[in-house]
């Protein structure tokens, strides 16, 4: 979950009623038509609890109370936290037990640390609630498969957030790589230290970068992976060598330690030229609201089965790769 925090400063406090739907849902061709659906008066409001009220959870609570079209379908009931907070901006704290048993609660937003996601998802699905969870859904490919099967058995929506696919930078990259023949590429991400005990192995905590590569170049295979770690210095460097289906090499590096600035460096070489990093393509406004719009569309049955299946396949493929990388690193 902590990896999403680097995007929060992009959030715009002025909530726009106009949302650009993500390019990953290709079948949703007309954004205006979807906004019209959202602007219709909801027949029902889904009661929501937010689990975890760090910065991500706080943004979710803010968006749930915004005058946005998707928020009209949602009603914030309260929040769950291990801390005794009682109330945040007039939103009441409720116990996990009450959130699970309440007939008012239809949906849980899971915004806690990564290591707790699996357990919370399982509890809320078993209680008959829909779930939105910040990535990664789990720290295990097998567990993710089990949870998706559980959601299908219960007839509930299980939505894993991927706001990195809603960023202007990704939209730029997607447009740039279309139709080009990749020769080789690399993606390096640097940041300050991150606790593996809370957020998982770096292939999982950094899965948004892996999701970018898979979304840009298709399913990938693992060639090799190494992890250099100096615990006393709070430093680690994961180096992963991947291949596209056409056997083109891609290198993914996660480097974290004191003094390292949060930054992303990419280099893609094509037969027709090269792309070195991404120019300034504008602010990423309201990306959590865009994600919420997708989630509400799922609740309302407005996303096609083909799109849902493609999204599930991509997410499970990335989690499978992350697990294989972890095994390879020992």
């Amino acid at each position: 979950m902590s990896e999403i925090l680097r995007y929060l400063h992009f959030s715009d406090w002025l909530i726009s009623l106009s949302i650009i739907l993500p390019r990953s849902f290709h079948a949703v061709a007309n954004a205006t038509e979807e906004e019209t659906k959202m602007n219709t008066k909801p027949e029902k409001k889904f009661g929501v609890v937010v689990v975890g009220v760090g910065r991500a959870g706080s943004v979710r609570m803010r968006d749930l109370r915004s005058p946005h079209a998707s928020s009209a379908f949602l009603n914030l009931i309260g929040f769950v936290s291990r801390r005794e907070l009682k109330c945040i901006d007039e939103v009441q704290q409720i116990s996990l037990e009450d959130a699970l048993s309440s007939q008012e609660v239809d949906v849980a937003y899971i915004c806690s640390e990564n290591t707790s996601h699996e357990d919370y998802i399982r509890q809320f699905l078993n209680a008959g609630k829909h779930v939105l969870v910040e990535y990664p859904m789990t720290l295990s490919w097998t567990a993710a498969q089990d949870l998706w099967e559980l959601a299908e058995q219960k007839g509930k929506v299980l939505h894993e957030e991927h706001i990195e696919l809603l960023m202007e930078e990704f939209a730029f990259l997607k447009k740039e790589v279309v139709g080009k023949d990749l020769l080789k590429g690399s993606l390096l991400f640097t940041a300050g230290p991150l606790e593996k005990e809370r957020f998982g192995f770096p292939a999982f905590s950094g899965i948004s970068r892996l999701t970018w590569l898979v979304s840009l170049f298709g399913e990938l295979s693992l060639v090799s992976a190494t992890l250099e770690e100096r615990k006393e210095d709070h430093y680690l460097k994961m180096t992963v060598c991947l291949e596209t289906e056409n056997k083109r090499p891609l290198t993914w590096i996660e480097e974290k330690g004191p003094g390292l600035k949060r930054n992303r460096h990419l280099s893609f070489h094509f037969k027709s030229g090269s792309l070195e990093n991404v120019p300034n393509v504008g602010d990423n406004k309201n990306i959590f609201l865009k994600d919420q719009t997708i989630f509400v569309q799922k609740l309302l049955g407005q996303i096609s089965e083909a799109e849902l299946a493609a999204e599930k396949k991509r997410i499970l493929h990335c989690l499978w790769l992350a697990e294989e990388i972890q095994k390879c690193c020992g």
Side-chain angles (χ1 to χ4, degrees):
M1 182 192 75
S2 74
E3 293 300 330
I4 67 174
L5 299 183
R6 70 185 188 281
Y7 303 129
L8 293 179
H9 66 283
F10 291 127
S11 298
D12 193 331
W13 291 92
L14 298 174
I15 305 301
S16 169
L17 289 177
S18 175
I19 289 297
I20 300 173
L21 296 179
R23 289 165 173 80
S24 57
F25 290 117
H26 297 290
V28 187
N30 192 322
T32 302
E33 180 182 343
E34 293 302 330
E35 288 169 16
T36 300
K37 290 180 183 178
M38 280 290 169
N39 284 316
T40 59
K41 188 175 181 180
E43 296 179 6
K44 170 190 174 174
K45 284 196 172 190
F46 296 87
V48 182
V49 293
V50 175
V51 181
V53 287
R55 292 183 66 188
S58 297
V59 170
R60 291 293 190 180
M61 288 174 61
R62 182 202 72 191
D63 286 350
L64 281 162
R65 292 175 291 165
S66 74
H68 181 261
S70 66
S71 301
F73 290 83
L74 305 166
N75 178 33
L76 179 57
I77 302 296
F79 68 88
V80 174
S81 176
R82 290 191 299 268
R83 294 174 289 165
E84 285 294 329
L85 300 173
K86 299 188 184 300
C87 182
I88 299 177
D89 294 334
E90 300 182 353
V91 180
Q92 296 298 314
Q93 182 172 5
I94 62 177
S95 69
L96 175 62
E97 293 73 20
D98 287 345
L100 291 166
S101 62
S102 173
Q103 296 300 308
E104 289 185 280
V105 175
D106 306 292
V107 171
Y109 281 18
I110 310 300
C111 307
S112 55
E113 62 270 17
N114 298 350
T115 51
S116 66
H117 288 181
E118 179 184 344
D119 184 51
Y120 279 133
I121 294 170
R122 196 177 302 279
Q123 289 190 69
F124 278 101
L125 286 177
N126 277 321
K129 317 296 185 186
H130 303 284
V131 173
L132 177 153
V133 60
E134 311 293 349
Y135 70 75
M137 177 190 306
T138 67
L139 301 178
S140 159
W141 172 66
T142 303
Q145 287 185 305
D146 290 344
L147 291 175
W148 235 304
E149 289 177 7
L150 178 60
E152 290 167 0
Q153 290 169 9
K154 297 289 185 178
K156 299 301 173 183
V157 172
L158 175 54
H159 172 79
E160 184 184 55
E161 161 270 318
H162 277 285
I163 58 172
E164 75 277 11
L165 299 181
L166 307 179
M167 297 176 67
E168 294 297 327
E169 293 91 332
F170 178 75
F172 171 84
L173 285 174
K174 191 74 172 175
K175 183 179 178 181
E176 286 295 309
V177 306
V178 167
K180 293 182 179 178
D181 190 355
L182 178 72
L183 296 177
K184 64 178 181 178
S186 64
L187 175 56
L188 163 66
F189 179 76
T190 61
L194 188 69
E195 299 175 55
K196 283 201 300 180
E197 293 74 17
R198 295 178 61 201
F199 301 107
F201 189 78
F204 285 99
S205 61
I207 205 166
S208 64
R209 264 77 68 191
L210 185 56
T211 301
W212 261 28
L213 293 176
V214 169
S215 299
L216 290 171
F217 302 111
E219 292 194 352
L220 305 172
S221 57
L222 176 63
V223 177
S224 65
T226 59
L227 180 68
E228 176 189 351
E229 186 172 17
R230 300 194 300 270
K231 292 184 178 180
E232 67 277 10
D233 297 327
H234 306 288
Y235 173 86
L236 65 81
K237 182 179 182 181
M238 180 186 72
T239 303
V240 181
C241 295
L242 302 159
E243 272 188 348
T244 67
E245 291 182 341
N246 294 329
K247 303 298 181 183
R248 303 302 192 186
L250 284 168
T251 302
W252 169 33
I253 299 173
E254 294 275 311
E255 187 174 16
K256 296 176 182 178
L260 289 176
K261 293 183 178 180
R262 188 177 295 275
N263 214 334
R264 182 175 51 241
H265 309 271
L266 59 85
S267 176
F268 298 135
H269 297 273
F270 307 94
K271 284 187 176 179
S272 58
S274 299
L275 176 64
E276 301 284 346
N277 293 313
V278 181
N280 185 356
V281 290
D283 291 339
N284 294 289
K285 295 182 179 180
N286 305 323
I287 50 178
F288 281 91
L289 269 174
K290 292 178 184 180
D291 179 68
Q292 180 174 279
T293 296
I294 298 167
F295 178 62
V296 170
Q297 287 173 346
K298 290 179 180 180
L299 292 176
L300 300 177
Q302 294 177 359
I303 303 293
S304 73
E305 290 298 321
E307 291 170 305
L308 293 173
E311 180 189 53
K312 175 182 175 182
K313 183 180 179 183
R314 186 204 74 228
I315 290 172
L316 286 176
H317 176 66
C318 290
L319 289 170
W320 175 79
L321 276 175
E323 189 168 278
E324 292 300 303
I325 291 167
Q326 184 175 9
K327 290 177 184 176
C328 191
C329 290

